[in-house]
């Protein structure tokens, strides 16, 4: 009899320990996940449709640190760009001068410098500094060709236009990528969630990968001699208006290539 009682007690204690241990690890796991999701608050604010003027007025009245600030300044010449940003709509375009301009809340003000012919732009925000903030927009004007451009953004759109770049490496977690009228050498574009749109660009090698979103490439020049490889897991592939189901490949005589891989979304190529 005593032996049975002991067995019951041991079983009950074991079950209690298992439940307690499981609960502890679940809570610990949840906290770890929450700490490593800095872009959640950023994403909420990035897609907010509230008026910037209204928020700016409220922030000014309350003396809030989220008050919007605008800066425009001329930079020393540079031949490369490196940017690592959390919440931003980033535009890089050709012009007559080297300059940077931004409009942002104070919590999202980017840091930048020109050193060794490279423009570096950084902006790192953790979740409790992002909640309640508005979007940040940065525009960089370039007056000459660039040898290397490396860009990484968490939330926001990236727009490049009229540039000459030897090597381009661009990654966007949440946001659209737009390239127009650019002359490119080797380019790699990676998007997690967002559309990728290329119009009237020339390139030696273009590699595009997207998880969720459509990819569109429009070229005024023929790509008949280009090596082309297109495929999507869920979506349609269309080349010059003709449906190719989920994949298309073409062996060209030239050395330049276009590779597009999409998990969920359509691929549209026109030339």
């Amino acid at each position: 009899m005593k032996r049975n009682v002991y067995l019951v007690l041991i079983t009950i204690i074991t079950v209690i320990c298992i439940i307690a241990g499981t609960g502890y690890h679940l809570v610990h796991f949840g906290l770890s996940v929450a700490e490593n999701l800095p872009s959640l608050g950023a994403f909420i604010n990035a897609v907010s449709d509230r008026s910037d003027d209204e928020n700016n007025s409220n922030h000014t009245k309350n003396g809030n640190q989220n008050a919007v600030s605008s800066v425009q300044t001329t930079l020393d010449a540079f031949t490369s760009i490196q940017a690592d940003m959390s919440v931003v709509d980033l535009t890089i375009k050709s012009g007559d001068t080297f300059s940077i301009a931004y409009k942002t809340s104070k919590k999202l003000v980017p840091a930048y410098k020109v050193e060794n012919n490279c423009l570096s732009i950084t902006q790192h925000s953790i979740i409790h500094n992002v909640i309640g903030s508005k979007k940040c927009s940065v525009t960089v004007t370039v007056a000459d060709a660039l040898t290397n451009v490396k860009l990484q953004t968490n939330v926001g759109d990236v727009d490049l236009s009229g540039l000459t770049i030897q090597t381009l490496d661009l990654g966007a977690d949440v946001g659209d990528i737009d390239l127009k009228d650019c002359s490119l050498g080797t380019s790699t574009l990676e998007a997690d969630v967002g559309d990728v749109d290329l119009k009237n660009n020339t390139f030696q090698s273009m590699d595009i990968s997207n998880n969720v979103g459509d990819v569109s490439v429009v070229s005024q020049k023929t790509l008949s001699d280009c090596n082309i490889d297109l495929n999507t897991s869920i979506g349609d592939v269309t080349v010059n208006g003709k449906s190719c189901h989920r994949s298309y490949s073409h062996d060209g005589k030239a050395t330049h290539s276009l590779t597009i891989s999409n998990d969920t979304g359509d691929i549209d190529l026109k030339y």
Side-chain angles (χ1 to χ4, degrees):
M1 180 68 178
K2 290 183 179 180
R3 182 172 180 274
N4 292 335
V5 172
Y6 289 144
L7 289 175
V8 171
L9 288 176
I10 292 173
T11 301
I12 293 173
I13 293 172
T14 302
V15 171
I16 291 173
C17 290
I18 292 173
I19 293 174
T22 302
Y24 170 81
H25 287 293
L26 285 175
V27 171
H28 183 72
F29 175 76
L31 291 174
S32 299
V33 171
E35 290 175 355
N36 289 283
L37 286 176
S39 62
L40 177 59
F43 178 75
I44 294 173
N45 288 283
V47 299
S48 172
D49 60 356
R50 291 177 300 171
S51 166
D52 284 338
D53 293 336
E54 178 182 349
N55 279 289
N56 187 30
S57 175
N58 290 336
H59 294 328
T60 302
K61 291 179 182 178
N62 297 330
N64 196 300
Q65 290 185 353
N66 289 337
V68 173
S69 61
S70 298
V71 172
Q72 182 171 358
T73 184
T74 301
L75 301 173
D76 293 335
F78 52 86
T79 57
S80 62
I81 301 175
Q82 290 193 8
D84 186 358
M85 311 192 73
S86 298
V87 182
V88 65
D89 283 337
L90 177 61
T91 299
I92 305 177
K93 63 180 182 178
S94 61
D96 297 327
T97 61
F98 291 91
S99 65
I100 186 171
Y102 62 79
K103 182 177 181 181
T104 176
S105 66
K106 291 184 178 179
K107 288 184 177 180
L108 296 176
V109 171
Y112 62 90
K113 64 179 179 179
V114 176
E115 189 174 67
N116 298 324
N117 294 321
C118 177
L119 170 62
S120 300
I121 312 173
T122 57
Q123 175 209 56
H124 300 286
S125 301
I126 56 179
I127 192 165
H128 69 266
N129 280 336
V130 173
I131 293 179
S133 302
K134 294 302 295 180
K135 290 170 61 177
C136 168
S137 62
V138 175
T139 299
V140 176
T141 303
V142 179
D144 205 347
L146 299 170
T147 57
N148 181 69
V149 174
K150 185 173 183 178
L151 312 173
Q152 178 64 50
T153 63
N154 290 342
V155 178
D157 300 333
V158 179
D159 188 343
L160 309 183
S161 62
L163 303 174
T164 298
I165 306 173
Q166 289 183 14
T167 303
L168 171 64
D169 185 354
L170 196 167
D173 293 339
V174 179
D176 297 334
I177 296 175
D178 293 311
L179 274 66
K180 183 178 180 181
D181 298 327
C182 292
S183 177
L184 308 169
T186 301
S187 300
T188 301
L189 310 181
E190 296 182 358
D192 288 335
V193 179
D195 296 333
V196 179
D197 190 5
L198 278 62
K199 291 182 179 178
N200 302 329
N201 303 281
T202 60
F203 50 84
Q204 182 65 30
S205 173
M206 175 66 67
D207 191 341
I208 304 173
S209 61
N210 196 6
N211 289 334
V212 179
D214 297 332
V215 179
S216 174
V217 177
V218 178
S219 175
Q220 289 184 343
K221 295 186 176 181
T222 181
L223 298 179
S224 299
D225 291 335
C226 181
N227 296 291
I228 302 174
D229 187 10
L230 316 175
N231 69 83
T232 180
S233 298
I234 300 176
D236 297 320
V237 174
T238 304
V239 177
N240 291 331
K242 181 180 179 181
S243 176
C244 303
H245 301 291
R246 294 185 181 179
S247 64
Y248 172 84
S249 62
H250 172 73
D251 294 328
K253 298 179 181 179
T255 57
H256 56 288
S257 62
L258 171 64
T259 303
I260 303 176
S261 177
N262 203 353
D263 290 336
T264 303
D266 297 333
I267 298 175
D268 186 15
L269 172 62
K270 295 179 182 177
Y271 64 89

